PDB file of all heavy atoms in Angstrom:
ATOM      1  N   ARG A 169      12.145 -13.607 -26.284  1.00  0.00           N
ATOM      2  CA  ARG A 169      11.700 -14.730 -25.441  1.00  0.00           C
ATOM      3  C   ARG A 169      12.038 -14.475 -23.973  1.00  0.00           C
ATOM      4  O   ARG A 169      11.214 -14.707 -23.080  1.00  0.00           O
ATOM      5  CB  ARG A 169      12.360 -16.020 -25.934  1.00  0.00           C
ATOM      6  CG  ARG A 169      11.894 -17.272 -25.225  1.00  0.00           C
ATOM      7  CD  ARG A 169      12.524 -18.521 -25.850  1.00  0.00           C
ATOM      8  NE  ARG A 169      12.014 -19.718 -25.228  1.00  0.00           N
ATOM      9  CZ  ARG A 169      12.466 -20.217 -24.067  1.00  0.00           C
ATOM     10  NH1 ARG A 169      13.450 -19.595 -23.431  1.00  0.00           N
ATOM     11  NH2 ARG A 169      11.940 -21.311 -23.551  1.00  0.00           N
ATOM     12  N   ILE A 172       9.668 -11.879 -22.506  1.00  0.00           N
ATOM     13  CA  ILE A 172       8.337 -12.422 -22.238  1.00  0.00           C
ATOM     14  C   ILE A 172       8.346 -13.254 -20.958  1.00  0.00           C
ATOM     15  O   ILE A 172       7.447 -13.154 -20.119  1.00  0.00           O
ATOM     16  CB  ILE A 172       7.844 -13.256 -23.440  1.00  0.00           C
ATOM     17  CG1 ILE A 172       7.592 -12.339 -24.638  1.00  0.00           C
ATOM     18  CG2 ILE A 172       6.573 -14.023 -23.081  1.00  0.00           C
ATOM     19  CD1 ILE A 172       7.309 -13.078 -25.927  1.00  0.00           C
ATOM     20  N   ILE A 173       9.378 -14.070 -20.798  1.00  0.00           N
ATOM     21  CA  ILE A 173       9.494 -14.878 -19.577  1.00  0.00           C
ATOM     22  C   ILE A 173       9.639 -13.971 -18.363  1.00  0.00           C
ATOM     23  O   ILE A 173       9.052 -14.218 -17.301  1.00  0.00           O
ATOM     24  CB  ILE A 173      10.684 -15.843 -19.695  1.00  0.00           C
ATOM     25  CG1 ILE A 173      10.381 -16.893 -20.776  1.00  0.00           C
ATOM     26  CG2 ILE A 173      10.991 -16.509 -18.359  1.00  0.00           C
ATOM     27  CD1 ILE A 173      11.533 -17.808 -21.085  1.00  0.00           C
ATOM     28  N   HIS A 176       6.366 -12.562 -17.342  1.00  0.00           N
ATOM     29  CA  HIS A 176       5.592 -13.564 -16.606  1.00  0.00           C
ATOM     30  C   HIS A 176       6.090 -13.689 -15.171  1.00  0.00           C
ATOM     31  O   HIS A 176       5.297 -13.772 -14.226  1.00  0.00           O
ATOM     32  CB  HIS A 176       5.683 -14.921 -17.322  1.00  0.00           C
ATOM     33  CG  HIS A 176       4.980 -16.021 -16.585  1.00  0.00           C
ATOM     34  ND1 HIS A 176       5.665 -17.028 -15.936  1.00  0.00           N
ATOM     35  CD2 HIS A 176       3.660 -16.260 -16.372  1.00  0.00           C
ATOM     36  CE1 HIS A 176       4.803 -17.841 -15.371  1.00  0.00           C
ATOM     37  NE2 HIS A 176       3.586 -17.406 -15.612  1.00  0.00           N
ATOM     38  N   ILE A 181       2.088 -10.727 -16.855  1.00  0.00           N
ATOM     39  CA  ILE A 181       1.222 -11.560 -17.687  1.00  0.00           C
ATOM     40  C   ILE A 181       1.049 -12.917 -17.011  1.00  0.00           C
ATOM     41  O   ILE A 181       1.899 -13.348 -16.229  1.00  0.00           O
ATOM     42  CB  ILE A 181       1.807 -11.755 -19.106  1.00  0.00           C
ATOM     43  CG1 ILE A 181       3.206 -12.392 -19.032  1.00  0.00           C
ATOM     44  CG2 ILE A 181       1.853 -10.437 -19.860  1.00  0.00           C
ATOM     45  CD1 ILE A 181       3.822 -12.698 -20.376  1.00  0.00           C
ATOM     46  N   ASP A 182      -0.054 -13.581 -17.321  1.00  0.00           N
ATOM     47  CA  ASP A 182      -0.251 -14.923 -16.763  1.00  0.00           C
ATOM     48  C   ASP A 182       0.321 -15.975 -17.718  1.00  0.00           C
ATOM     49  O   ASP A 182       0.862 -15.648 -18.776  1.00  0.00           O
ATOM     50  CB  ASP A 182      -1.736 -15.180 -16.471  1.00  0.00           C
ATOM     51  CG  ASP A 182      -2.614 -15.081 -17.715  1.00  0.00           C
ATOM     52  OD1 ASP A 182      -2.108 -15.296 -18.837  1.00  0.00           O
ATOM     53  OD2 ASP A 182      -3.815 -14.793 -17.563  1.00  0.00           O
ATOM     54  N   ARG A 183       0.193 -17.222 -17.348  1.00  0.00           N
ATOM     55  CA  ARG A 183       0.817 -18.292 -18.123  1.00  0.00           C
ATOM     56  C   ARG A 183       0.240 -18.408 -19.530  1.00  0.00           C
ATOM     57  O   ARG A 183       0.982 -18.608 -20.495  1.00  0.00           O
ATOM     58  CB  ARG A 183       0.648 -19.629 -17.393  1.00  0.00           C
ATOM     59  CG  ARG A 183       1.282 -20.812 -18.111  1.00  0.00           C
ATOM     60  CD  ARG A 183       1.150 -22.079 -17.308  1.00  0.00           C
ATOM     61  NE  ARG A 183       1.853 -21.958 -16.034  1.00  0.00           N
ATOM     62  CZ  ARG A 183       1.887 -22.941 -15.119  1.00  0.00           C
ATOM     63  NH1 ARG A 183       1.231 -24.062 -15.332  1.00  0.00           N
ATOM     64  NH2 ARG A 183       2.558 -22.775 -14.000  1.00  0.00           N
ATOM     65  N   ASP A 184      -1.087 -18.291 -19.652  1.00  0.00           N
ATOM     66  CA  ASP A 184      -1.712 -18.409 -20.976  1.00  0.00           C
ATOM     67  C   ASP A 184      -1.228 -17.320 -21.927  1.00  0.00           C
ATOM     68  O   ASP A 184      -0.921 -17.582 -23.098  1.00  0.00           O
ATOM     69  CB  ASP A 184      -3.236 -18.353 -20.851  1.00  0.00           C
ATOM     70  CG  ASP A 184      -3.808 -19.591 -20.163  1.00  0.00           C
ATOM     71  OD1 ASP A 184      -3.125 -20.633 -20.164  1.00  0.00           O
ATOM     72  OD2 ASP A 184      -4.932 -19.500 -19.626  1.00  0.00           O
ATOM     73  N   VAL A 185      -1.154 -16.080 -21.420  1.00  0.00           N
ATOM     74  CA  VAL A 185      -0.678 -14.981 -22.262  1.00  0.00           C
ATOM     75  C   VAL A 185       0.783 -15.197 -22.619  1.00  0.00           C
ATOM     76  O   VAL A 185       1.211 -14.938 -23.754  1.00  0.00           O
ATOM     77  CB  VAL A 185      -0.874 -13.627 -21.539  1.00  0.00           C
ATOM     78  CG1 VAL A 185      -0.214 -12.503 -22.322  1.00  0.00           C
ATOM     79  CG2 VAL A 185      -2.353 -13.341 -21.351  1.00  0.00           C
ATOM     80  N   ARG A 186       1.563 -15.676 -21.670  1.00  0.00           N
ATOM     81  CA  ARG A 186       2.975 -15.954 -21.960  1.00  0.00           C
ATOM     82  C   ARG A 186       3.103 -16.938 -23.112  1.00  0.00           C
ATOM     83  O   ARG A 186       3.899 -16.728 -24.046  1.00  0.00           O
ATOM     84  CB  ARG A 186       3.659 -16.532 -20.709  1.00  0.00           C
ATOM     85  CG  ARG A 186       5.137 -16.845 -20.909  1.00  0.00           C
ATOM     86  CD  ARG A 186       5.679 -17.713 -19.798  1.00  0.00           C
ATOM     87  NE  ARG A 186       5.062 -19.040 -19.812  1.00  0.00           N
ATOM     88  CZ  ARG A 186       5.349 -20.004 -18.932  1.00  0.00           C
ATOM     89  NH1 ARG A 186       6.190 -19.765 -17.945  1.00  0.00           N
ATOM     90  NH2 ARG A 186       4.755 -21.191 -19.006  1.00  0.00           N
ATOM     91  N   GLU A 187       2.323 -18.020 -23.076  1.00  0.00           N
ATOM     92  CA  GLU A 187       2.402 -19.019 -24.136  1.00  0.00           C
ATOM     93  C   GLU A 187       1.949 -18.446 -25.470  1.00  0.00           C
ATOM     94  O   GLU A 187       2.535 -18.744 -26.521  1.00  0.00           O
ATOM     95  CB  GLU A 187       1.563 -20.248 -23.767  1.00  0.00           C
ATOM     96  CG  GLU A 187       2.066 -21.006 -22.551  1.00  0.00           C
ATOM     97  CD  GLU A 187       3.523 -21.405 -22.690  1.00  0.00           C
ATOM     98  OE1 GLU A 187       3.911 -21.909 -23.758  1.00  0.00           O
ATOM     99  OE2 GLU A 187       4.287 -21.222 -21.719  1.00  0.00           O
ATOM    100  N   ASP A 188       0.901 -17.613 -25.463  1.00  0.00           N
ATOM    101  CA  ASP A 188       0.432 -16.980 -26.695  1.00  0.00           C
ATOM    102  C   ASP A 188       1.511 -16.072 -27.286  1.00  0.00           C
ATOM    103  O   ASP A 188       1.752 -16.062 -28.499  1.00  0.00           O
ATOM    104  CB  ASP A 188      -0.831 -16.165 -26.435  1.00  0.00           C
ATOM    105  CG  ASP A 188      -2.048 -17.037 -26.201  1.00  0.00           C
ATOM    106  OD1 ASP A 188      -1.974 -18.253 -26.496  1.00  0.00           O
ATOM    107  OD2 ASP A 188      -3.059 -16.519 -25.693  1.00  0.00           O
ATOM    108  N   MET A 189       2.174 -15.303 -26.416  1.00  0.00           N
ATOM    109  CA  MET A 189       3.202 -14.375 -26.882  1.00  0.00           C
ATOM    110  C   MET A 189       4.422 -15.124 -27.398  1.00  0.00           C
ATOM    111  O   MET A 189       5.020 -14.732 -28.408  1.00  0.00           O
ATOM    112  CB  MET A 189       3.583 -13.414 -25.751  1.00  0.00           C
ATOM    113  CG  MET A 189       2.471 -12.449 -25.356  1.00  0.00           C
ATOM    114  SD  MET A 189       2.866 -11.439 -23.906  1.00  0.00           S
ATOM    115  CE  MET A 189       4.028 -10.270 -24.629  1.00  0.00           C
ATOM    116  N   LEU A 190       4.796 -16.202 -26.727  1.00  0.00           N
ATOM    117  CA  LEU A 190       5.931 -17.000 -27.196  1.00  0.00           C
ATOM    118  C   LEU A 190       5.620 -17.629 -28.554  1.00  0.00           C
ATOM    119  O   LEU A 190       6.478 -17.697 -29.435  1.00  0.00           O
ATOM    120  CB  LEU A 190       6.275 -18.087 -26.172  1.00  0.00           C
ATOM    121  CG  LEU A 190       6.928 -17.606 -24.874  1.00  0.00           C
ATOM    122  CD1 LEU A 190       7.081 -18.773 -23.891  1.00  0.00           C
ATOM    123  CD2 LEU A 190       8.298 -16.984 -25.151  1.00  0.00           C
ATOM    124  N   SER A 191       4.378 -18.068 -28.689  1.00  0.00           N
ATOM    125  CA  SER A 191       3.986 -18.658 -29.970  1.00  0.00           C
ATOM    126  C   SER A 191       4.005 -17.607 -31.082  1.00  0.00           C
ATOM    127  O   SER A 191       4.406 -17.896 -32.220  1.00  0.00           O
ATOM    128  CB  SER A 191       2.587 -19.267 -29.848  1.00  0.00           C
ATOM    129  OG  SER A 191       2.135 -19.738 -31.086  1.00  0.00           O
ATOM    130  N   ALA A 192       3.604 -16.374 -30.738  1.00  0.00           N
ATOM    131  CA  ALA A 192       3.515 -15.315 -31.740  1.00  0.00           C
ATOM    132  C   ALA A 192       4.879 -14.873 -32.252  1.00  0.00           C
ATOM    133  O   ALA A 192       4.980 -14.343 -33.367  1.00  0.00           O
ATOM    134  CB  ALA A 192       2.757 -14.121 -31.163  1.00  0.00           C
ATOM    135  N   ILE A 193       5.945 -15.056 -31.468  1.00  0.00           N
ATOM    136  CA  ILE A 193       7.270 -14.605 -31.905  1.00  0.00           C
ATOM    137  C   ILE A 193       8.084 -15.730 -32.533  1.00  0.00           C
ATOM    138  O   ILE A 193       9.261 -15.549 -32.853  1.00  0.00           O
ATOM    139  CB  ILE A 193       8.087 -13.998 -30.739  1.00  0.00           C
ATOM    140  CG1 ILE A 193       8.389 -15.055 -29.680  1.00  0.00           C
ATOM    141  CG2 ILE A 193       7.384 -12.791 -30.159  1.00  0.00           C
ATOM    142  CD1 ILE A 193       9.423 -14.620 -28.659  1.00  0.00           C
ATOM    143  N   SER A 194       7.461 -16.890 -32.686  1.00  0.00           N
ATOM    144  CA  SER A 194       8.198 -17.992 -33.312  1.00  0.00           C
ATOM    145  C   SER A 194       8.622 -17.585 -34.715  1.00  0.00           C
ATOM    146  O   SER A 194       7.982 -16.737 -35.345  1.00  0.00           O
ATOM    147  CB  SER A 194       7.326 -19.245 -33.358  1.00  0.00           C
ATOM    148  OG  SER A 194       6.154 -19.013 -34.107  1.00  0.00           O
ATOM    149  N   ARG A 197       6.745 -15.503 -37.804  1.00  0.00           N
ATOM    150  CA  ARG A 197       5.497 -14.884 -37.367  1.00  0.00           C
ATOM    151  C   ARG A 197       5.793 -13.533 -36.728  1.00  0.00           C
ATOM    152  O   ARG A 197       6.836 -13.314 -36.131  1.00  0.00           O
ATOM    153  CB  ARG A 197       4.771 -15.773 -36.347  1.00  0.00           C
ATOM    154  CG  ARG A 197       4.378 -17.126 -36.907  1.00  0.00           C
ATOM    155  CD  ARG A 197       3.533 -17.886 -35.918  1.00  0.00           C
ATOM    156  NE  ARG A 197       2.277 -17.181 -35.642  1.00  0.00           N
ATOM    157  CZ  ARG A 197       1.354 -17.645 -34.799  1.00  0.00           C
ATOM    158  NH1 ARG A 197       1.556 -18.781 -34.143  1.00  0.00           N
ATOM    159  NH2 ARG A 197       0.241 -16.968 -34.612  1.00  0.00           N
ATOM    160  N   ILE A 199       4.283 -10.334 -34.079  1.00  0.00           N
ATOM    161  CA  ILE A 199       3.530 -10.316 -32.824  1.00  0.00           C
ATOM    162  C   ILE A 199       2.750  -9.024 -32.708  1.00  0.00           C
ATOM    163  O   ILE A 199       3.280  -7.950 -32.926  1.00  0.00           O
ATOM    164  CB  ILE A 199       4.472 -10.494 -31.613  1.00  0.00           C
ATOM    165  CG1 ILE A 199       3.659 -10.476 -30.323  1.00  0.00           C
ATOM    166  CG2 ILE A 199       5.548  -9.423 -31.557  1.00  0.00           C
ATOM    167  CD1 ILE A 199       4.445 -10.892 -29.104  1.00  0.00           C
ATOM    168  N   TYR A 204      -2.908  -7.782 -25.709  1.00  0.00           N
ATOM    169  CA  TYR A 204      -2.318  -8.114 -24.419  1.00  0.00           C
ATOM    170  C   TYR A 204      -2.173  -6.906 -23.501  1.00  0.00           C
ATOM    171  O   TYR A 204      -1.934  -7.040 -22.313  1.00  0.00           O
ATOM    172  CB  TYR A 204      -0.929  -8.748 -24.601  1.00  0.00           C
ATOM    173  CG  TYR A 204      -0.941  -9.981 -25.446  1.00  0.00           C
ATOM    174  CD1 TYR A 204      -0.155 -10.081 -26.581  1.00  0.00           C
ATOM    175  CD2 TYR A 204      -1.750 -11.065 -25.110  1.00  0.00           C
ATOM    176  CE1 TYR A 204      -0.157 -11.230 -27.366  1.00  0.00           C
ATOM    177  CE2 TYR A 204      -1.755 -12.212 -25.887  1.00  0.00           C
ATOM    178  CZ  TYR A 204      -0.959 -12.282 -27.008  1.00  0.00           C
ATOM    179  OH  TYR A 204      -0.951 -13.410 -27.785  1.00  0.00           O
TER     180      TYR A 204
END
Side-chain angles (χ1 to χ4, degrees):
R169 185 176 184 278
I172 292 171
I173 292 174
H176 177 252
I181 58 176
D182 60 26
R183 181 177 298 179
D184 291 338
V185 172
R186 180 194 66 181
E187 295 306 314
D188 287 346
M189 293 174 75
L190 288 174
S191 175
I193 64 168
S194 60
R197 298 187 62 180
I199 180 169
Y204 302 123

